[in-house]
Amino acid sequence: MIRVVATTPFDGQKPGTSGLRKKVSVFQQPHYVENFVQSIFDSLEGFEGETLVIGGDGRFYNREAIQIVVRMAAAAGFGRVMVGQGGILSTPAASCVIRKHEAFGGIILSASHNPGGEHGDFGIKYNVGNGGPAPEHVTDAIFERSKAIREYRIFDAPDVDLDTLGITRVGDMVVDIVDPVEDYAELMGTLFDFDAIRDLFASGFAMRFDAMSAVTGPYATAILEETLGAEAGTVVHGVPLPDFGGHHPDPNLVHAKSLYDLLMSDHAPDLGAASDGDGDRNMIIGRGRFVTPSDSLAIIAANAHLTPGYKAGIAGIARSMPTSGSADRVAEKLGVTCYETPTGWKFFGNLLDAGLATVCGEESFGTGSNHVREKDGLWAVLMWLNILAIRRQGVDEIVGEHWAAYGRNYYTRHDYEEVDSAAADGLMAELRNRLDTLPGTVIQGLTVERADDFAYHDPVDGSVTTRQGVRVFFTDQSRIVYRLSGTGTAGATLRVYIERFEPDPARHDLETQSALADLISVARVLPDIEGRIGRKEPSVIT
Ligand code: VG1
Ligand code: CO
């Protein structure tokens, strides 16, 4: 019943910031998925008879890939797989299920915020027993294995019915098709004051949640509309589609522009929110006020004690390095540590497991806490709703008061997408060459104080991760960060993160791009972006 299939390695099966992501057509090649999944299993030990959680964001090729993973899990000797009904599990829900059912790990089929459909992207990610993305030593081992693989093992069996809840078998392995929402919704109910949020909605509070035709639709509909009493129609684009309706499921100011426009209009609801392909990102917009993800993290950290799940206070905060320093100021006031990690949620796992941090965030619309080991889009929305339900102020007012108390970190990210890889590598190499000579130089009137290439020393396991982004600090409390994306599938994407701290409340109401105009100009000329990659303007500004 178990077939051993001879194969040869594929180039480039190296997991990036969050799993292996490639074009669908790459994954559709014979043996491609199988090689990678076998490389995962070959890198793990002790899973005989254990449980593996499987689910995805519903994008094109999700069901096909799940059938392969199920049959290979049976051949590898797992005792049980728990699969989200219809092949659906959001990334945070998968993390929740792994933890609650003490699974050995999980395989998540998703390319997250990348475009879907037949001509879009697909992805596979392995999560470990704490529910979080595999740490680097595991993803490194998977990649090494993928370069040497000669055969894979797969059970010969018909497709499993992914749509009917309940238990079947493939060989000796139990296949348990589970409700993708239930465990997750129950966990949310333990963290937040659902009665207070119900009262908020009952008082006429209006919101729009844009699920972007991606995985969060069923979760948001069940929790916001059916449990918390938000008006029917609060959730839009709530049915997961294989091609995300032809849209890019990335909740930012470009791809969720209609939501942004609504919130800036005369008939804006009180709150607008959106999430990404696999449901781990969130965008928060109040009436007339976009909340940057960095500010959202800081405001959540400062207010979390108002909610039942965090009423004892938070042990610490963790943020990725390019995320703004606004959370650091909250940590300082609370007397807790703010950890600075490389980009990617996998670096938060150790801090959360060790109890050093309670809330975490990234500037890329990612926020979460120790309730799971992934960032969690809907969690962030519920956290905001709970805070709004207790404080009974508007989003804009809460943000304004926060800045008045802590100062404002003006912040923007400029992305240059799909540029020539060699040119982007050259730009980064040149920046690294200049690290020693930059301090003291004056560029368009701004003086460089120091510059480095960020390296992270994990305080829990002692591991060191180098080359995580070039940072240039200026004497006026401003900073520019340059790094290359590790999630793209075409060419390279250069990300430039631009930030300046503004303590003066009289200067807290400027438009971000103009408040940062001088720094933005320096960010472009310093590495000669136009000369090196031929782009005058970024493709996405957030
Ligand atoms: C991007 C973001 C990063 C995030 C990652 C995965 O990575 O910058 O903060 O953790 O996507 O998010 P990169 O390497 O492209 O900058 V998700 O929602 O796509 O899993
Ligand atoms: Co995502």
Side-chain angles (χ1 to χ4, degrees):
M1 301 285 255
I2 293 174
R3 213 156 26 98
V4 179
V5 182
T7 187
T8 49
F10 287 93
D11 277 341
Q13 290 198 327
K14 185 177 170 51
T17 310
S18 179
L20 180 70
R21 294 186 196 181
K22 304 280 177 195
K23 295 279 172 219
V24 166
S25 56
V26 173
F27 275 100
Q28 283 174 322
Q29 298 172 85
H31 310 312
Y32 193 89
V33 170
E34 292 87 342
N35 273 21
F36 189 67
V37 171
Q38 190 67 55
S39 299
I40 294 174
F41 292 160
D42 288 351
S43 308
L44 307 174
E45 267 170 22
F47 53 76
E48 188 75 33
E50 298 281 326
T51 298
L52 182 72
V53 172
I54 305 171
D57 62 13
R59 70 179 58 221
F60 189 88
Y61 208 53
N62 191 46
R63 285 172 176 265
E64 291 84 344
I66 287 179
Q67 296 291 352
I68 295 172
V69 177
V70 168
R71 289 207 291 271
M72 290 186 68
F78 278 95
R80 176 170 70 143
V81 288
M82 295 180 74
V83 188
Q85 188 181 26
I88 293 288
L89 272 178
S90 77
T91 288
S95 186
C96 164
V97 172
I98 293 170
R99 293 170 67 77
K100 178 170 174 186
H101 299 277
E102 295 178 357
F104 185 85
I107 289 186
I108 300 175
L109 296 308
S110 170
S112 190
H113 65 285
N114 295 27
E118 193 174 349
H119 305 291
D121 293 345
F122 193 74
I124 301 183
K125 185 169 79 155
Y126 180 67
N127 280 30
V128 293
N130 74 352
E136 292 230 298
H137 68 90
V138 178
T139 53
D140 288 348
I142 295 169
F143 179 47
E144 285 311 311
R145 182 65 197 151
S146 78
K147 291 191 278 190
I149 190 162
R150 292 283 164 237
E151 61 182 39
Y152 63 81
R153 295 158 65 80
I154 187 159
F155 210 92
D156 258 331
D159 278 359
V160 299
D161 173 3
L162 296 176
D163 298 304
T164 309
L165 291 175
I167 287 175
T168 52
R169 280 175 193 272
V170 172
D172 289 337
M173 185 184 77
V174 170
V175 178
D176 193 356
I177 306 293
V178 299
D179 181 329
V181 177
E182 198 175 284
D183 287 334
Y184 178 83
E186 184 194 295
L187 176 61
M188 292 302 114
T190 67
L191 299 175
F192 300 113
D193 186 344
F194 274 15
D195 288 335
I197 300 174
R198 240 177 245 123
D199 288 348
L200 179 73
F201 280 122
S203 74
F205 182 92
M207 106 173 255
R208 175 171 294 187
F209 183 96
D210 191 340
M212 303 190 86
S213 306
V215 80
T216 325
Y219 299 85
T221 306
I223 297 174
L224 298 176
E225 294 187 10
E226 289 160 19
T227 307
L228 295 173
E231 204 184 318
T234 295
V235 177
V236 297
H237 303 125
V239 177
L241 300 174
D243 67 347
F244 306 123
H247 298 296
H248 199 142
D250 193 353
N252 62 27
L253 298 178
V254 173
H255 300 300
K257 188 161 188 312
S258 58
L259 180 71
Y260 176 81
D261 289 344
L262 174 71
L263 268 293
M264 298 302 135
S265 75
D266 290 341
H267 42 276
D270 300 283
L271 180 68
S275 56
D276 73 331
D278 62 333
D280 56 358
R281 297 187 179 206
N282 73 91
M283 179 164 77
I284 300 290
I285 317 178
R287 184 184 292 133
R289 171 65 65 194
F290 166 66
V291 187
T292 72
S294 297
D295 279 345
S296 180
L297 171 66
I299 292 167
I300 286 174
N303 290 278
H305 65 278
L306 300 175
T307 68
Y310 307 87
K311 64 173 184 289
I314 57 176
I317 307 175
R319 65 163 173 87
S320 67
M321 178 275 284
T323 303
S324 96
S326 54
D328 303 38
R329 296 175 188 280
V330 175
E332 205 185 318
K333 191 152 176 178
L334 294 175
V336 299
T337 304
C338 188
Y339 298 88
E340 192 174 23
T341 60
T343 293
W345 211 262
K346 61 188 167 205
F347 295 100
F348 293 134
N350 279 346
L351 298 171
L352 293 166
D353 284 351
L356 295 174
T358 305
V359 294
C360 309
E362 295 192 278
E363 48 65 41
S364 53
F365 299 87
T367 340
S369 87
N370 59 356
H371 69 289
V372 290
R373 293 294 180 274
E374 289 277 7
K375 55 188 187 273
D376 187 344
L378 203 47
W379 172 90
V381 175
L382 291 167
M383 176 60 95
W384 266 95
L385 282 170
N386 200 155
I387 293 168
L388 292 165
I390 301 297
R391 289 186 54 170
R392 293 288 171 145
Q393 291 170 293
V395 170
D396 186 43
E397 215 181 330
I398 289 177
V399 171
E401 286 185 9
H402 186 88
W403 289 338
Y406 296 92
R408 175 172 181 184
N409 289 67
Y410 279 101
Y411 188 87
T412 187
R413 183 176 106 184
H414 288 199
D415 294 329
Y416 299 81
E417 295 178 322
E418 296 191 24
V419 302
D420 180 70
S421 282
D425 288 341
L427 182 147
M428 290 302 296
E430 174 63 10
L431 275 171
R432 291 188 165 107
N433 279 337
R434 289 167 62 194
L435 289 175
D436 290 341
T437 55
L438 275 174
T441 47
V442 180
I443 309 159
Q444 298 185 346
L446 296 181
T447 307
V448 177
E449 188 181 72
R450 62 194 169 93
D452 66 6
D453 189 354
F454 180 63
Y456 178 58
H457 300 255
D458 187 311
V460 179
D461 67 12
S463 62
V464 178
T465 309
T466 57
R467 298 170 68 85
Q468 293 301 305
V470 168
R471 308 190 286 184
V472 184
F473 298 90
F474 297 85
T475 52
D476 68 340
Q477 303 207 64
S478 60
R479 174 183 87 154
I480 303 170
V481 176
Y482 301 88
R483 62 177 283 280
L484 299 183
S485 159
T487 58
T489 59
T493 291
L494 171 68
R495 303 205 196 282
V496 185
Y497 310 80
I498 299 155
E499 171 183 4
R500 174 181 286 138
F501 179 63
E502 176 57 73
D504 181 3
R507 295 179 48 81
H508 282 172
D509 249 334
L510 307 175
E511 193 276 319
T512 300
Q513 301 302 312
S514 35
L516 294 172
D518 57 339
L519 202 55
I520 289 170
S521 168
V522 169
R524 291 180 186 183
V525 301
L526 193 147
D528 186 17
I529 291 181
E530 188 180 353
R532 287 202 165 258
I533 62 174
R535 294 277 179 87
K536 245 186 156 50
E537 296 287 329
S539 28
V540 177
I541 294 180
T542 33

